[in-house]
Amino acid sequence: MIKHTKTLKVRVRDRHTPLLNRMARSVNFVWNFVNELSQRSIKERGVFLSAYDMHPYTKGAGKELGLHSQTLQCIAGEYVTRRKQFTKVRLNWRKSGGVRRSLGWIPVNTGAAQWKNGQVYHNGHYFNVVVGMEVEPSKGQDRIGIDLGLTDTVTCSDGTKLEAGRFYRGLEEKLAIAQRARNKTQVKTIHAKIANRRKDALHKFSRKLVNRCGEIYVGNVSSLKLVKTTMAKSVLDAGWGQLKTMLDYKCAHAGIVFKEVDEAYTTQTCSSCGSLPESRPKGIAGFGIREWTCSGCGVTHDRDINAARNILAAGHGRLAVGIPVL
């Protein structure tokens, strides 16, 4: 058995957003208060207040601000830590509004948590909790290379594919109608449904791979770079980054190998003979070629499956190098 920590997350629904925003604004208010308090103490008395020294000044404010009393102590502790780190008399103010507003931050500790009716609560509300758990290593022995694409989001070296267009199926027409009618609420709802479909499909697909594999290798294509090109919409729809993240943590929990490998020339190289034949798809003109025959050995390839097989071979090559001698 392998021991891991895992975060149990509660979905933040729309009805929770005002509460979280209100608490985050209160946290910013307390931060700015202790920031000013510390500055005045140093200026007027030459004394650097510790977190303990600040507690009497914030005592009793939690009820008024909608924060737990120990959250106030956490804010003071964090402020003192950052003041020492940056060696400043005064830190930046935390802004709750405007384009330069600070990110929402609500510190908690175990003393502010309660177990009630089978749920974990903070200040009377749900929150995320990290727990320790034992995970049985995956018994799968397959080895899979994965090529990420736009026509098919995922193509595996064994021929398994995940079609990209399935996320939109049955919703394209409704989305187009809502966009023409400029119905922003409906457009937002449809996009949310598409995103949920994508996430669900990627979760199921990645889980199947982890259950049956002992090694998984994926090409190092960067979605962050491609979103700056004309392919941005297609890349974001494919969800490459989301899939890599899922595979990364699921493989870690299952105790199996997961690596990103250099995918350079994996499309053009023949996975059968390892050569770069003249018949290979080249450059921009080769993007539309989905199947090609190697002029060297005569084997016919599905473009994406061939790339996935080369990615698998590259993964094996990296392992074969072994551990360098220090």
Side-chain angles (χ1 to χ4, degrees), residues 268-317:
Q268 300 182 35
T269 302
C270 173
S271 59
S272 179
C273 65
S275 66
L276 286 169
E278 286 298 322
S279 59
R280 70 187 187 274
K282 304 174 186 176
I284 296 177
F287 282 165
I289 300 175
R290 309 312 306 171
E291 188 175 285
W292 59 281
T293 300
C294 176
S295 56
C297 63
V299 175
T300 299
H301 297 292
D302 176 288
R303 175 194 180 99
D304 297 332
I305 295 177
N306 176 69
R309 288 173 178 170
N310 283 325
I311 288 171
L312 175 60
H316 285 169

Side-chain angles (χ1 to χ4, degrees), residues 127-172:
F127 80 122
N128 295 352
V129 59
V130 178
V131 299
M133 60 181 298
E134 291 187 347
V135 180
E136 185 176 353
S138 173
K139 297 179 181 179
Q141 296 299 314
D142 289 352
R143 298 172 176 176
I144 288 290
I146 296 176
D147 177 61
L148 302 175
L150 300 179
T151 303
D152 295 302
T153 297
V154 181
T155 301
C156 297
S157 52
D158 63 354
T160 306
K161 296 187 178 186
L162 177 63
E163 183 186 352
R166 64 184 294 175
F167 309 141
Y168 279 94
R169 194 165 295 151
L171 294 175
E172 300 98 327

Side-chain angles (χ1 to χ4, degrees), residues 48 80-91:
F48 285 83
V80 171
T81 299
R82 299 309 167 198
R83 188 189 63 194
K84 291 179 180 178
Q85 176 185 354
F86 297 110
T87 61
K88 289 184 177 181
V89 173
R90 181 182 68 82
L91 300 180

Side-chain angles (χ1 to χ4, degrees), residues 58-215:
T58 59
K59 186 176 181 180
K63 186 175 181 180
E64 186 73 22
L65 296 172
L67 299 175
H68 195 279
S69 59
Q70 294 193 10
T71 297
L72 301 179
Q73 297 174 15
C74 287
I75 298 170
E78 180 68 13
Y79 175 81
V80 171
T81 299
R82 299 309 167 198
R83 188 189 63 194
K84 291 179 180 178
Q85 176 185 354
F86 297 110
T87 61
K88 289 184 177 181
V89 173
R90 181 182 68 82
L91 300 180
N92 293 333
W93 302 105
R94 292 188 64 87
K95 303 174 181 65
S96 297
V99 294
R100 301 187 67 180
R101 62 184 178 274
S102 305
L103 294 176
W105 170 54
I106 307 169
V108 300
N109 61 18
T110 54
Q114 288 183 322
W115 178 262
K116 184 171 64 175
N117 298 327
Q119 301 288 346
V120 181
Y121 284 79
H122 166 255
N123 202 28
H125 304 279
Y126 295 113
F127 80 122
N128 295 352
V129 59
V130 178
V131 299
M133 60 181 298
E134 291 187 347
V135 180
E136 185 176 353
S138 173
K139 297 179 181 179
Q141 296 299 314
D142 289 352
R143 298 172 176 176
I144 288 290
I146 296 176
D147 177 61
L148 302 175
L150 300 179
T151 303
D152 295 302
T153 297
V154 181
T155 301
C156 297
S157 52
D158 63 354
T160 306
K161 296 187 178 186
L162 177 63
E163 183 186 352
R166 64 184 294 175
F167 309 141
Y168 279 94
R169 194 165 295 151
L171 294 175
E172 300 98 327
E173 186 176 349
K174 292 181 180 179
L175 180 60
I177 292 173
Q179 288 173 333
R180 286 195 296 269
R182 298 186 178 181
N183 188 334
K184 294 182 179 180
T185 302
Q186 186 67 15
V187 170
K188 185 178 179 180
T189 300
I190 295 173
H191 275 304
K193 190 169 185 177
I194 292 169
N196 288 337
R197 282 186 179 183
R198 181 189 300 112
K199 187 175 182 180
D200 180 67
L202 294 178
H203 264 305
K204 291 177 179 177
F205 193 86
S206 58
R207 173 48 56 193
K208 287 180 181 178
L209 290 181
V210 171
N211 286 346
R212 69 183 178 90
C213 295
E215 299 175 21

